Amino acid sequence: MENKKFDPNSLIGFVFMGLILMWMFYNQSKQAEVENAKKAIIEQQADSIQKAHAVATKVVDSLKIEDSNNGVIATDITNPNDSIAFVQSQSRLGAFSYSVSLASAKDQTTTIENDVLKIVVANKGGKIEEILLKKHKTFDQKPLYLIKDHNADLQIDFSTLDNRVLNTNDMYFEPTLTEESGHTNLSMRLKVSKDRFLEYRYTLKPNNYLIDFTIRSQGLKDVIDSSKPIDLKWDMKTFHTEKSVKYENQYTTLEYRTDGSEFDDVSSMGKSKSEELESIDWIAFRQQFFTSILNADIPIENAKLKLENLVDDEEKDTLFTKHFTAEIPLQTKGGELNYDWNYYFGPSDYNILQTYEGRDFERSVNMGWGIFRWINVYGIIPVFNLLKGNILSFGLIIILMTIVIRIIMSPLVYKSYLSSAKMKVLRPEMEEINKRLPGKDNAMKRQQETMALQRKAGVSMLSGCIPALLQMPVFFALFRFFPSWFDLRQKGFLWANDLSAYDDVIQLPFNIPVYGSHISLFPLLASIAIFFYMQMSQAQQANMQPPAQEGMPDM
């Protein structure tokens, strides 16, 4: 019989098999422990949910008992997860957690509109989320929105008697839409019970850019702490809507009227500027051709206004031009809020703004200051409106208006030309005086005889200068009129498709510093016309210039 030898390979195989079996048994026991732990966690979570549900039910029951006189709606909480959310909102919002239990506590919107405006109001925050101007387009023919994609905000910060600091943007309002006498009324209520709430009320009239806006509270004197600041914050980033970023940004500014008549603006020079004001009638976030105005029938006691320039490079395209902010402290009466205001969202059209009598909205249109505004308001605008009613082309209106203005100023021009003609006639006699009285010793006598000759003929140097100076305010007024006059926006003439902006007959593939990236034909033609006009003016001035006199300064 053959003796068996020791096989090391077999031993190694048995060892590996043993290790594998031990690993399998260990894995099974570990998995059992994990499963038991999962079951324990699930049971613990279920127990917590049941307890939270019980607490929430007690809270709802207490609210039902507390508000039994007012009634309770939409407080049936059956989902345990909803119960937990309700308990969390109760901790965060206090009495205003009631609003979370309503069916309106969703990210939904309500739309109101008339012939000229489409307004979208969000449940969350109760604020305007979109404003579309139906009859207008951007420079690239896209729908023109004043508010969209969260570029504007309206919120109220306040404190409650149970020491919570709240913001309306974090809470849900309940919308109610009604029609009355052709007016659309949208009530947005932030509720603490059925009949106790903070309300924003928007009223939109047919074919009107003005929106009645009311802020009021009912039954909140035991909720809101009126001894602490209640601040309304309205801010907006204005969209770039015009062809020229440079001109649009230049004419985009924050304006206001105070003390019933005083009008001013927050200077747009520099990166940012802020001012604190008192007794404010209205605040306007004005773009070049559109404006958003908050108007108060009873003056706002004080407010802090801020303007920030968002355009870093005017040669580049941009989404926003400026950022406006108005912070207005609100005051309670008898523990309640009650403010009746108006919003104007629409074009900066002088003729439209003038129809809102007693508000002076038209002052927000930049017609210059002092005598320049007076010339525009009482002279140029009536002439333009008269021509507009009879002529379709705005290019022809500009040409005819220029002719009319020249005719109106013709007495001054005639006076200047007459003085020039007289000086031309007197020139030989003045030269004769120079020859008869030569030398520095006769300088005074020459001057006396020359002035005597001019008086006799009824002419002087000032008789030509004064008429020219009197015409200057008219041209400065026109300089303010054309860039601000809404009727010229997107109106074409000849090769230009927008008389309120530059005409680019040739678009260059590169940018020339200071000059730009386009060639405009109107400025070139104007330069040629100015050149010939200056030649004529210089000839006229040469005729008016008296002969040089030795010892006397050169006129």
Side-chain angles (χ1 to χ4, degrees):
M1 186 175 180
E2 187 180 354
N3 293 330
K4 293 184 178 179
K5 295 181 180 180
F6 175 73
D7 187 1
N9 291 331
S10 298
L11 180 61
I12 292 172
F14 283 122
V15 170
F16 272 112
M17 288 178 63
L19 291 174
I20 291 172
L21 289 173
M22 289 175 64
W23 178 80
M24 289 177 62
F25 285 126
Y26 174 79
N27 236 11
Q28 287 179 356
S29 63
K30 198 71 177 174
Q31 188 173 358
E33 290 179 7
V34 171
E35 291 295 328
N36 292 332
K38 285 184 178 180
K39 288 181 181 179
I41 291 171
I42 292 172
E43 290 174 358
Q44 186 177 1
Q45 287 179 342
D47 185 58
S48 299
I49 291 173
Q50 289 177 355
K51 289 179 179 180
H53 187 212
V55 171
T57 303
K58 290 180 181 179
V59 171
V60 174
D61 290 340
S62 67
L63 286 174
K64 288 181 179 180
I65 295 171
E66 199 174 288
D67 299 325
S68 58
N69 294 329
N70 297 327
V72 175
I73 59 173
T75 56
D76 183 20
I77 302 175
T78 57
N79 190 324
N81 292 328
D82 293 341
S83 302
I84 296 173
F86 185 83
V87 171
Q88 292 174 345
S89 67
Q90 175 71 17
S91 174
R92 182 170 57 91
L93 303 177
F96 286 95
S97 62
Y98 175 86
S99 62
V100 179
S101 69
L102 303 177
S104 56
K106 298 177 182 178
D107 291 329
Q108 295 178 339
T109 60
T110 305
T111 301
I112 57 176
E113 56 186 312
N114 58 15
D115 298 332
V116 295
L117 288 177
K118 180 181 178 182
I119 302 171
V120 178
V121 182
N123 288 11
K124 190 171 185 180
K127 60 190 177 183
I128 296 176
E129 197 169 77
E130 287 185 8
I131 289 187
L132 171 68
L133 301 185
K134 293 183 175 181
K135 294 187 176 182
H136 304 286
K137 301 285 185 181
T138 62
F139 71 97
D140 50 359
Q141 297 304 302
K142 294 179 180 179
L144 199 152
Y145 287 90
L146 293 184
I147 298 178
K148 191 181 182 183
D149 297 333
H150 309 291
N151 73 309
D153 194 19
L154 177 76
Q155 62 186 45
I156 297 178
D157 297 320
F158 61 93
S159 300
T160 62
L161 291 173
D162 55 359
N163 295 320
R164 288 180 171 86
V165 179
L166 301 179
N167 185 306
T168 54
N169 273 355
D170 300 328
M171 295 178 281
Y172 289 93
F173 288 64
E174 183 181 60
T176 303
L177 189 63
T178 58
E179 296 281 344
E180 183 179 352
S181 302
H183 300 173
T184 303
N185 301 304
L186 176 59
S187 170
M188 304 294 295
R189 292 182 175 181
L190 174 59
K191 294 186 172 182
V192 300
S193 70
K194 181 180 179 181
D195 296 322
R196 295 190 297 160
F197 49 80
L198 171 67
E199 180 183 36
Y200 296 161
R201 187 175 182 85
Y202 304 92
T203 300
L204 185 60
K205 302 171 185 177
N207 198 32
N208 203 317
Y209 291 102
L210 195 69
I211 306 166
D212 292 338
F213 177 58
T214 300
I215 299 176
R216 74 181 187 97
S217 66
Q218 178 175 301
L220 298 186
K221 63 181 180 180
D222 296 328
V223 178
I224 296 178
D225 188 351
S226 57
S227 66
K228 294 181 180 178
I230 304 173
D231 296 320
L232 180 140
K233 183 178 179 182
W234 177 40
D235 73 283
M236 175 184 291
K237 293 180 180 178
T238 52
F239 286 120
H240 163 46
T241 61
E242 307 306 318
K243 187 175 182 180
S244 172
V245 176
K246 180 178 180 180
Y247 279 110
E248 182 179 14
N249 197 40
Q250 179 181 339
Y251 286 93
T252 299
T253 188
L254 196 159
E255 300 174 325
Y256 55 86
R257 189 183 78 164
T258 59
D259 298 325
S261 61
E262 296 296 325
F263 172 82
D264 208 341
D265 59 25
V266 176
S267 174
S268 58
M269 301 298 291
K271 188 66 177 177
S272 64
K273 183 73 177 293
S274 61
E275 291 186 14
E276 294 188 20
L277 305 168
E278 296 180 353
S279 188
I280 305 170
D281 298 317
W282 51 257
I283 302 166
F285 297 164
R286 186 178 67 80
Q287 300 164 242
Q288 182 179 5
F289 288 117
F290 298 94
T291 188
S292 305
I293 303 175
L294 177 61
N295 174 72
D297 293 333
I298 299 176
I300 298 169
E301 292 185 6
N302 59 85
K304 183 178 180 180
L305 308 180
K306 183 178 179 181
L307 174 152
E308 182 182 1
N309 186 10
L310 301 179
V311 179
D312 295 323
D313 187 350
E314 293 181 338
E315 299 300 328
K316 297 181 180 179
D317 197 6
T318 181
L319 179 60
F320 302 112
T321 54
K322 285 191 170 68
H323 184 194
F324 300 122
T325 304
E327 295 182 10
I328 304 171
L330 302 181
Q331 304 295 329
T332 60
K333 293 182 180 179
E336 303 290 350
L337 294 171
N338 192 4
Y339 286 87
D340 291 320
W341 290 343
N342 312 106
Y343 267 129
Y344 175 88
F345 293 105
S348 295
D349 188 327
Y350 187 93
N351 294 321
I352 292 177
L353 293 171
Q354 199 175 29
T355 61
Y356 300 102
E357 298 178 359
R359 295 183 171 93
D360 284 343
F361 285 167
E362 67 274 12
R363 290 295 304 272
S364 65
V365 181
N366 189 354
M367 291 286 112
W369 54 271
I371 188 173
F372 308 122
R373 182 177 182 83
W374 186 87
I375 291 172
N376 275 324
V377 171
Y378 297 104
I380 294 174
I381 290 177
V383 172
F384 192 95
N385 287 335
L386 178 64
L387 294 174
K388 183 177 70 173
N390 298 280
I391 302 173
L392 296 178
S393 173
F394 281 88
L396 293 177
I397 291 175
I398 294 174
I399 294 172
L400 289 175
M401 189 173 71
T402 305
I403 296 172
V404 169
I405 291 173
R406 296 297 294 180
I407 291 173
I408 293 173
M409 294 192 300
S410 59
L412 296 176
V413 177
Y414 172 75
K415 186 74 173 176
S416 179
Y417 283 136
L418 182 61
S419 178
S420 175
K422 288 181 178 181
M423 289 293 290
K424 186 176 182 180
V425 172
L426 293 177
R427 189 177 184 85
E429 295 186 43
M430 289 188 289
E431 290 177 350
E432 181 64 28
I433 293 174
N434 289 344
K435 292 178 182 179
R436 184 163 47 85
L437 300 170
K440 294 182 179 181
D441 295 338
N442 295 319
M444 183 62 68
K445 192 173 182 179
R446 278 198 311 271
Q447 181 67 15
Q448 290 174 347
E449 289 195 18
T450 300
M451 293 180 67
L453 178 64
Q454 291 177 350
R455 282 196 300 269
K456 185 178 179 180
V459 66
S460 70
M461 289 299 298
L462 293 178
S463 63
C465 295
I466 292 177
L469 289 174
L470 292 176
Q471 297 177 58
M472 293 299 293
V474 177
F475 295 118
F476 279 115
L478 287 171
F479 180 77
R480 282 295 185 185
F481 173 81
F482 287 114
S484 301
W485 196 247
F486 185 83
D487 286 336
L488 299 179
R489 182 181 186 268
Q490 296 184 357
K491 299 300 190 301
F493 181 65
L494 299 178
W495 58 86
N497 56 15
D498 190 346
L499 289 173
S500 69
Y502 58 85
D503 61 306
D504 47 349
V505 291
I506 299 177
Q507 193 70 35
L508 301 176
F510 52 85
N511 183 68
I512 302 175
V514 181
Y515 180 82
S517 60
H518 62 274
I519 296 177
S520 298
L521 190 54
F522 279 142
L524 294 177
L525 295 177
S527 300
I528 294 172
I530 290 172
F531 172 78
F532 286 107
Y533 180 77
M534 289 179 65
Q535 294 296 318
M536 294 172 59
S537 299
Q538 289 174 359
Q540 180 183 348
Q541 291 172 3
N543 291 331
M544 295 180 64
Q545 183 77 16
Q549 298 181 2
E550 187 179 356
M552 298 299 294
D554 187 6
M555 299 298 292

